[in-house]
Amino acid sequence: MRVFKLFLRLSKENKAGIIMTLLLTALMIVLFYALPREQQAGYAAQKIRVSYHIENESPLTDNLKEYLSNYVYESKLSLDEIEDAHYFQIVTLSIIIEGNLSEDLKNDNAKIELYSKNAEEFINAAVITELYNYLNLYQAFIENGIIESEAIELTNETLTNSHVETHLVQQTQDFKVIAFRAMNYLSYIVILIGLTIVVPIMIKMKEEKVLKRTLVSPYKRKKYYLELYLGAILYTVIASFIIFLLVTVLFRDMLTVKEILLYALNMLMYTLPIIAISVFTGVLSKKETISSIVSNVFGLGQSFLVGVFIGREYLDPSMKVIGRLLPGNYLVNANEFIRDGTYTVNNLMGEYLMLILFAAIFVGLLIVINIYKKHKRVV
């Protein structure tokens, strides 16, 4: 295991890569871990922006808007401005009410349209739920023969009493989202581990003077490279999971044990293509500066395109299409299933197979390169 031990010894000397990885991890912890503590201070931090488009204003619509003000900030927009406002994320939901809402509810024929574009469903879920809670409760009072003014008053009283419980449910959902974003951010940390720590070590171990020292004894070249690859694999997996465990300890109150295990499985599957890409880069590269270039281009590029640094709801559709060509996209997909509680064996396996495919492509390329080099030496 001479080569493997040399790999570990050289890893300790790559202080720049280790320090950068630790600093970025610390920054992530500060940003994500501090955020939920601030949100506990008040519900306002969780409000979304909504526009109302009501054909006939009435006491019912006025009270409905007042009740929903616990959950939203209102933006004044005309119907013609809706499309552009959603494209530029000025609002995330538009509520369009046609006709006379009070009369239409009596006839069970309310005309309500909810318009949303680019925003993911969970962002508007709490507001939509409260909208229908209010109207359904009001309609139930009306159907029991209570006049409109009293029905509005009873609806307000009933829902105000349950507001604290709703607040806690919504806050828990927000904590899940914060933990989800932190897990996505780890995908960038794994790339840093692979490309800024592992690749430079592999390049150094391919230097002629290092090779000659190691191969001076009866140490087969094949065994040398196998141990080199083993070092790259174990170092990436172990370092990634040390960071994962650190983050998990800090976010343990936001996740169940099952969710933590599933996130860990997602991370393990994601390390497969990253290890393959790192080894592939290390085999082809001759200068250590290459690792920094690849890390910036691939790591930062992927993180923006798959929704790690910027939420997917803010990305242009063309960017999302490009993101599907990158392994990080399938990690984020798998993490979304866990965040939303919609994970199944089938949908997770679909994402894992794509990650395995990426790994297989680069492993295949490595095999072709090694065969070519072996043939070249024989010739």
Side-chain angles (χ1 to χ4, degrees):
M1 298 295 284
R2 181 187 304 170
V3 179
F4 183 69
K5 291 177 181 177
L6 177 60
F7 186 100
L8 294 180
R9 192 169 76 247
L10 288 173
S11 69
K12 297 174 185 176
E13 297 177 6
N14 190 1
K15 294 181 178 62
I18 294 172
I19 290 171
M20 183 168 66
T21 302
L22 291 175
L23 284 175
L24 286 170
T25 303
L27 177 63
M28 177 196 72
I29 291 169
V30 170
L31 289 175
F32 289 107
Y33 188 63
L35 183 59
R37 301 301 181 267
E38 293 171 0
Q39 283 188 333
Q40 287 177 357
Y43 188 76
Q46 299 157 18
K47 291 183 179 181
I48 65 171
R49 289 209 166 270
V50 165
S51 65
Y52 295 102
H53 308 274
I54 301 172
E55 187 175 348
N56 293 298
E57 298 278 354
S58 66
L60 174 60
T61 58
D62 291 342
N63 279 272
L64 173 63
K65 288 166 64 175
E66 184 177 348
Y67 173 70
L68 291 180
S69 66
N70 292 311
Y71 302 87
V72 306
Y73 294 112
E74 181 180 358
S75 294
K76 300 287 186 180
L77 297 172
S78 67
L79 283 170
D80 295 334
E81 295 171 327
I82 289 180
E83 190 76 25
D84 289 338
H86 280 268
Y87 181 82
F88 292 107
Q89 293 294 312
I90 296 171
V91 295
T92 60
L93 179 67
S94 290
I95 300 173
I96 305 168
I97 301 176
E98 299 177 359
N100 187 311
L101 183 60
S102 302
E103 294 298 321
D104 290 340
L105 282 173
K106 292 176 184 177
N107 300 320
D108 201 20
N109 189 33
K111 302 178 184 68
I112 301 172
E113 180 184 350
L114 302 175
Y115 181 88
S116 181
K117 183 178 182 181
N118 296 328
E120 296 185 22
E121 289 183 9
F122 73 89
I123 293 175
N124 299 323
V127 175
I128 294 172
T129 299
E130 293 307 315
L131 168 69
Y132 285 112
N133 281 347
Y134 191 96
L135 294 179
N136 289 338
L137 187 57
Y138 167 83
Q139 188 175 19
F141 286 133
I142 290 294
E143 289 175 352
N144 279 284
I146 299 173
I147 61 173
E148 182 177 341
S149 59
E150 290 183 8
I152 292 173
E153 187 176 344
L154 286 170
T155 302
N156 289 336
E157 288 178 2
T158 304
L159 291 177
T160 299
N161 291 335
S162 65
H163 177 68
V164 173
E165 182 181 349
T166 306
H167 175 129
L168 294 174
V169 171
Q170 176 63 21
Q171 192 175 66
T172 301
Q173 182 188 44
D174 285 342
F175 286 173
K176 298 277 187 187
V177 173
I178 293 165
F180 158 76
R181 289 174 180 166
M183 293 300 172
N184 287 347
Y185 187 84
L186 284 177
S187 66
Y188 178 60
I189 301 296
V190 173
I191 291 174
L192 286 182
I193 292 170
L195 294 176
T196 64
I197 299 178
V198 172
V199 172
I201 296 170
M202 292 189 66
I203 293 171
K204 195 170 289 185
M205 291 184 70
K206 289 193 307 171
E207 292 176 359
E208 195 65 26
K209 56 183 180 181
V210 178
L211 267 174
K212 284 181 178 178
R213 272 203 310 269
T214 308
L215 297 175
V216 70
S217 62
Y219 213 79
K220 292 183 180 179
R221 187 178 291 268
K222 182 179 180 181
K223 186 178 181 182
Y224 178 90
Y225 280 107
L226 283 175
E227 287 189 20
L228 179 59
Y229 297 156
L230 177 64
I233 292 168
L234 289 181
Y235 189 92
T236 305
V237 171
I238 292 170
S240 298
F241 271 87
I242 289 173
I243 301 293
F244 175 83
L245 289 173
L246 175 62
V247 174
T248 301
V249 168
L250 294 172
F251 289 92
R252 65 188 181 279
D253 295 335
M254 304 181 193
L255 301 168
T256 64
V257 173
K258 187 175 183 180
E259 287 170 337
I260 290 172
L261 292 175
L262 286 171
Y263 275 126
L265 181 58
N266 289 355
M267 184 60 63
L268 177 62
M269 298 305 298
Y270 175 71
T271 59
L272 298 180
I274 299 306
I275 290 168
I277 291 168
S278 299
V279 173
F280 179 78
T281 305
V283 168
L284 290 185
S285 305
K286 294 182 179 180
K287 295 182 179 180
E288 292 183 31
T289 52
I290 296 295
S291 64
S292 298
I293 295 171
V294 176
S295 173
N296 289 329
V297 174
F298 174 65
L300 293 174
Q302 173 181 265
S303 297
F304 279 107
L305 289 170
V306 304
V308 171
F309 291 160
I310 301 174
R312 283 180 169 180
E313 63 270 21
Y314 302 111
L315 295 177
D316 187 88
S318 60
M319 294 177 69
K320 293 180 183 179
V321 172
I322 298 171
R324 291 174 192 161
L325 303 175
L326 300 167
N329 179 74
Y330 302 95
L331 171 69
V332 174
N333 286 349
N335 286 347
E336 281 183 351
F337 291 137
I338 298 171
R339 177 201 66 193
D340 299 337
T342 56
Y343 54 85
T344 63
V345 173
N346 289 337
N347 59 25
L348 288 177
M349 281 302 298
E351 308 305 325
Y352 295 162
L353 287 174
M354 290 302 299
L355 291 170
I356 292 170
L357 176 62
F358 276 102
I361 290 170
F362 283 94
V363 169
L365 290 172
L366 277 171
I367 292 171
V368 171
I369 290 169
N370 284 332
I371 292 172
Y372 172 75
K373 286 184 175 180
K374 186 177 180 180
H375 177 73
K376 193 175 179 181
R377 284 198 301 270
V378 172
V379 174

